[in-house]
């Protein structure tokens, strides 16, 4: 059986070997620190202020990993909230608005009269003017539409919503003819108006206006909203999101909300009264498009915005219109 030979070192030889190892390690550390670490620290010192680097380096618990952080992590400061214990003072919730009570011998307006309170004459005038103007720009000839014809066109859309068909041409086909639509307007006239219908003057729109994703219908949208705000609000209001069903190609503001009866569509924040009438609304265009933001979050910002149109502790006066509908005139 072979015996392995063992080298026996004296005490002085062991000390010499340890000195050699320590000397080599110190040389290696100096070489590494003079290349990688110094270059990295030199880069960080040029990218950030000296005070930030000194603040990190002077921290007792800091190490090399903290000095080599990425620029995003160094610049980002975490938001901190400090809560203080104080006495809660409830806000004044006494309702001082006008109680909705129908006068004696009140005659209920017809659906057309009620509808005309929201679709006003100035909205139709704008639609007629811009449509005729755009038809000249596009085809070289005016379609010469009128307010009566625009009302018929809008009525056709309401009828199409009640009796849905695969395409608009089906309402005029012999086998699928729908008389309330086909008898109101010819198919060729309907298609011509649909090609040239317009609300804004494209020649006067600026680049700043085009940042709004709804600039094509913004004038009409604002007029309609102002008519909604005029409705006398009830004491109890509700704010929630409403989906307008839509699956078309206009995908800039199209949303998908899981669990909704109509998950695909345009989301609108709505403030409605207890009667179900819309009093104020705001079309959702995405979080990135919100100009006014606060630390309260999206939900609180929406509530504050839609409630800003409510009268502030000032009772309103009833203003009777020709149709007898309820319109609020703020003092």
């Amino acid at each position: 059986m072979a015996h392995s030979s063992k080298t026996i070192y004296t005490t002085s030889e062991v000390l010499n070997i340890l000195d050699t190892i320590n000397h080599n390690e110190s040389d290696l550390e100096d070489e590494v620190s003079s290349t990688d670490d110094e270059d990295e620290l030199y880069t960080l010192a040029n990218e950030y202020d000296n005070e930030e680097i000194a603040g990190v380096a002077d921290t007792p618990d800091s190490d090399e990993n903290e000095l080599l952080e990425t620029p995003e992590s160094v610049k980002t400061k975490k938001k901190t909230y400090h809560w203080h214990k104080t006495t809660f003072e409830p806000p004044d919730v006494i309702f001082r608005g006008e109680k909705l009570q129908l006068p004696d011998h009140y005659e209920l307006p017809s659906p057309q009269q009620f509808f005309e309170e929201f679709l006003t004459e100035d909205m139709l005038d704008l639609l007629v003017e811009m449509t005729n103007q755009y038809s000249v720009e596009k085809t070289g000839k005016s379609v010469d539409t009128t307010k009566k014809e625009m009302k018929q066109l809008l009525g056709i859309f309401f009828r199409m919503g009640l009796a849905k068909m695969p395409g608009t041409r089906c309402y005029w086909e012999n086998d699928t003819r729908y008389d309330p639509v086909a008898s109101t307007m010819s198919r060729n006239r309907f298609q011509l108006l649909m090609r040239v219908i317009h609300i804004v003057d494209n020649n006067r729109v600026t680049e700043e206006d085009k940042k709004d994703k709804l600039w094509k219908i913004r004038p009409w949208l604002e007029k309609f909203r102002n008519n909604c705000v005029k409705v006398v609000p009830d004491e109890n209001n509700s704010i929630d999101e409403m989906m307008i069903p839509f699956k078309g190609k206009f995908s800039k503001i199209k949303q998908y909300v899981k669990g909704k009866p109509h998950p695909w569509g345009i989301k609108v924040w709505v403030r409605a009264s207890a009667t179900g009438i819309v009093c104020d609304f705001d079309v959702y265009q995405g979080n990135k498009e919100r100009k006014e933001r606060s630390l309260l979050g999206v939900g609180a910002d929406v509530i504050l915005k839609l409630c800003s149109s409510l009268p502030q502790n000032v009772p309103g006066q009833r203003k009777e219109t020709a149709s007898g509908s309820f319109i609020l005139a703020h003092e």
Side-chain angles (χ1 to χ4, degrees):
M1 182 175 180
H3 295 278
S4 60
S5 60
K6 295 182 179 180
T7 305
I8 300 175
Y9 297 97
T10 61
T11 304
S12 59
E13 290 176 346
V14 172
L15 293 175
N16 292 333
I17 293 173
L18 293 175
D19 291 338
T20 303
I21 294 175
N22 292 334
H23 179 70
N24 294 334
E25 290 181 352
S26 62
D27 291 343
L28 180 61
E29 290 177 357
D30 294 340
E31 182 180 357
V32 172
S33 61
S34 63
T35 56
D36 297 336
D37 293 347
E38 287 183 2
D39 292 342
E40 189 70 24
L41 292 176
Y42 179 79
T43 304
L44 289 172
N46 284 277
E47 290 181 357
Y48 308 106
D49 297 336
N50 294 331
E51 295 181 358
E52 293 183 358
I53 295 298
V56 177
D58 294 340
T59 305
D61 296 335
S62 64
D63 53 17
E64 292 181 357
N65 293 330
E66 294 179 351
L67 290 176
L68 300 180
E69 286 178 317
T70 58
E72 290 79 9
S73 61
V74 173
K75 287 187 176 182
T76 302
K77 295 182 179 179
K78 185 178 180 181
K79 294 180 181 179
T80 57
Y81 299 92
H82 301 281
W83 297 91
H84 302 280
K85 185 177 181 181
T86 58
T87 303
F88 175 71
E89 297 181 0
D92 184 10
V93 294
I94 299 177
F95 181 70
R96 296 182 175 87
E98 182 182 4
K99 298 292 184 180
L100 295 180
Q101 295 180 356
L102 296 178
D104 297 335
H105 308 290
Y106 178 77
E107 295 182 2
L108 187 66
S110 65
Q112 181 179 354
Q113 291 175 331
F114 189 82
F115 180 74
E116 289 176 350
E117 295 295 334
F118 295 92
L119 183 64
T120 54
E121 293 295 324
D122 59 336
M123 297 173 66
L124 290 173
D125 291 335
L126 178 63
L127 186 62
V128 170
E129 179 185 358
M130 292 295 104
T131 300
N132 289 331
Q133 177 179 327
Y134 182 72
S135 64
V136 175
E137 296 176 2
K138 188 173 182 180
T139 63
K141 183 180 178 180
S142 176
V143 293
D144 293 330
T145 185
T146 60
K147 289 194 293 185
K148 180 180 179 180
E149 192 174 44
M150 285 291 105
K151 289 183 179 179
Q152 292 175 344
L153 182 65
L154 294 175
I156 287 176
F157 276 110
F158 286 120
R159 283 289 187 174
M160 288 180 174
L162 297 175
K164 297 182 180 180
M165 292 190 183
T168 57
R169 298 174 63 93
C170 297
Y171 294 90
W172 286 271
E173 297 291 343
N174 294 330
D175 296 336
T176 58
R177 178 183 174 86
Y178 184 60
D179 196 64
V181 171
S183 299
T184 303
M185 184 181 298
S186 66
R187 184 192 64 185
N188 293 339
R189 184 63 178 178
F190 174 81
Q191 292 178 342
L192 176 60
L193 291 176
M194 288 303 300
R195 285 197 298 267
V196 297
I197 190 170
H198 238 62
I199 297 176
V200 297
D201 186 357
N202 295 340
N203 300 323
R204 296 184 179 181
V205 178
T206 62
E207 294 298 328
E208 185 67 23
D209 296 334
K210 290 184 179 180
K211 293 181 180 179
D212 181 11
K213 296 179 180 179
L214 298 172
W215 67 273
K216 284 282 189 180
I217 60 172
R218 179 58 64 183
W220 243 53
L221 207 61
E222 288 300 322
K223 290 180 180 294
F224 178 70
R225 177 184 174 273
N226 292 335
N227 293 334
C228 292
V229 173
K230 293 178 183 178
V231 177
V232 179
D234 291 334
E235 178 179 358
N236 299 318
N237 285 254
S238 175
I239 296 177
D240 200 356
E241 59 184 18
M242 179 180 68
M243 294 296 293
I244 300 177
F246 181 74
K247 288 186 178 181
K249 297 180 180 179
F250 187 70
S251 59
K252 292 183 179 180
I253 60 174
K254 185 172 62 176
Q255 300 285 326
Y256 175 79
V257 181
K258 184 179 180 181
K260 291 289 183 180
H262 301 282
W264 281 104
I266 299 174
K267 185 166 71 173
V268 184
W269 297 106
V270 176
R271 176 173 64 82
S273 63
T275 57
I277 301 298
V278 174
C279 299
D280 198 358
F281 65 90
D282 182 35
V283 181
Y284 180 74
Q285 300 187 37
N287 287 333
K288 295 182 179 179
E289 303 300 326
R290 289 194 301 134
K291 297 180 180 179
E292 299 178 1
R293 299 186 181 186
S294 67
L295 298 177
L296 301 177
V298 179
D301 290 346
V302 170
I303 293 174
L304 293 175
K305 182 177 181 179
L306 295 181
C307 289
S308 62
S309 57
L310 288 169
Q312 300 296 325
N313 298 329
V314 177
Q317 291 182 345
R318 240 180 232 287
K319 178 182 177 183
E320 294 295 337
T321 61
S323 61
S325 59
F326 46 93
I327 301 296
L328 178 66
H330 296 293
E331 295 178 344

